[in-house]
Amino acid sequence: MKNSIKVERAKKNLTQADLAKLVNVSRQTINSMELGKYVPSTVLALRLASIFETDIESIFTLEESDWK
């Protein structure tokens, strides 16, 4: 699953640690999501969308490999 967390985070001038604190996860979790190594829960995705003031679909994009 592709995501634009790093881009959205930069728009808000947030560090990984800042964002992690806002959504109540570790900085490592934010890093893993940005690298595409971790797919967040629905609740975490909704928290991120709220912080970034956008919808989930604007942050996360399914890739063809996600359907297999």
Side-chain angles (χ1 to χ4, degrees):
M1 179 180 304
K2 290 176 65 174
N3 70 70
S4 62
I5 296 171
K6 188 172 184 176
V7 171
E8 295 295 330
R9 185 170 55 77
K11 288 180 188 177
K12 295 279 189 185
N13 199 29
L14 295 169
T15 65
Q16 287 182 344
D18 293 336
L19 181 57
K21 191 171 187 175
L22 289 171
V23 296
N24 200 30
V25 297
S26 70
R27 185 204 57 80
Q28 291 85 350
T29 299
I30 300 298
N31 185 58
S32 292
M33 283 190 294
E34 288 183 359
L35 295 173
K37 295 180 178 182
Y38 176 77
V39 176
S41 68
T42 304
V43 172
L44 180 51
L46 287 166
R47 286 183 193 151
L48 291 166
S50 178
I51 295 295
F52 297 142
E53 299 174 358
T54 190
D55 53 59
I56 292 174
E57 293 84 0
S58 296
I59 303 170
F60 298 97
T61 307
L62 286 175
E63 296 180 295
E64 188 175 327
S65 61
D66 296 322
W67 291 96
K68 297 178 181 177

